[in-house]
Amino acid sequence: MANFYISDLHIGHENILRFDNRPFADVNEMNNKLIENWNARVHSNDTVYILGDFIWAKESEWPSIVGSLGGNKVLIRGNHDPKQFSAATKRMFQEITDLKEIKDSGKHVVMCHYPIPFFRASFASTAFMLYGHVHQTIEYEYIAKLRREVKANSTGYGTPNGNFINVGCMMPYMDYTPRTLDEIIEGDARYYEENPDAL
């Protein structure tokens, strides 16, 4: 039984191919790969925390797509997700919410579609904020610059730690696949070690 995290899948969204420069020939190839990657990792008793902008389709089309994906699902609503869900769609999720906090392997995890640099427990080295929304845009550059400054000035407990991580599926360490918290922390660290200007 494991927890996985991912954001901004944009299943069915043709324009996202160009916006993110996604490596797929068309939207069908992207959809198929996202579903394939998900089901290769996630087992029936696992939980996937989806941090918004999940499916680019009418709400009536959601059940068939959600039903093709394994595991339990918690949706942290994004700006492109429906504001209201039918009872049938709601039943396919353990929860639909705007903000979620859990413990995972002794770590405090705060999840929102939008980045929250100064989140609850952000002074603790074992606390992490996972977000999406900004993709790899100018907004991402702003939040990465802030993170660099926060990390440079962190002196341990009592100052914010800068542990806020973009789990958008297009991030290299996500690779269009739900990841565990440990994989995300390690992948993020490796990515910024190799790309210090990106932090």
Side-chain angles (χ1 to χ4, degrees), residues 14-55:
E14 193 168 349
N15 286 343
I16 207 69
L17 294 167
R18 287 189 304 281
F19 185 77
D20 279 341
N21 195 27
R22 295 191 178 191
F24 308 108
D26 56 37
V27 74
N28 289 327
E29 183 185 326
M30 178 183 76
N31 294 348
N32 291 337
K33 190 63 176 170
L34 289 169
I35 293 166
E36 178 188 316
N37 287 358
W38 179 303
N39 289 330
R41 292 300 313 280
V42 179
H43 299 108
S44 60
N45 58 349
D46 295 333
T47 298
V48 184
Y49 292 91
I50 307 146
L51 278 68
D53 291 5
F54 184 21
I55 298 168

Side-chain angles (χ1 to χ4, degrees), residues 16 19-20 132-144 166 170-171:
I16 207 69
F19 185 77
D20 279 341
H133 183 62
V134 297
H135 296 251
Q136 288 178 298
T137 62
I138 187 72
E139 291 174 313
Y140 171 70
E141 290 175 26
Y142 288 144
I143 202 77
N166 184 351
M170 78 300 300
M171 298 303 293

Side-chain angles (χ1 to χ4, degrees), residues 53-109:
D53 291 5
F54 184 21
I55 298 168
W56 189 269
K58 290 178 185 155
E59 195 267 351
S60 59
E61 296 172 44
W62 277 51
S64 64
I65 299 167
V66 176
S68 70
L69 298 165
N72 303 302
K73 301 159 198 82
V74 174
L75 177 64
I76 292 99
R77 195 186 281 109
N79 54 302
H80 290 302
D81 297 317
K83 298 207 175 10
Q84 301 293 326
F85 289 92
S86 68
T89 302
K90 280 183 185 172
R91 281 194 295 272
M92 303 188 87
F93 293 91
Q94 284 189 310
E95 186 179 2
I96 298 173
T97 186
D98 294 323
L99 180 78
K100 184 78 177 168
E101 296 188 48
I102 65 166
K103 292 283 188 207
D104 186 346
S105 306
K107 297 180 177 72
H108 183 94
V109 185

Side-chain angles (χ1 to χ4, degrees), residues 140 147 151 173 185-199:
Y140 171 70
R147 184 179 182 205
K151 280 192 171 291
Y173 46 86
I185 293 167
E186 288 165 19
D188 169 72
R190 194 167 55 249
Y191 176 66
Y192 289 115
E193 199 175 288
E194 294 165 2
N195 305 276
D197 291 341
L199 178 63

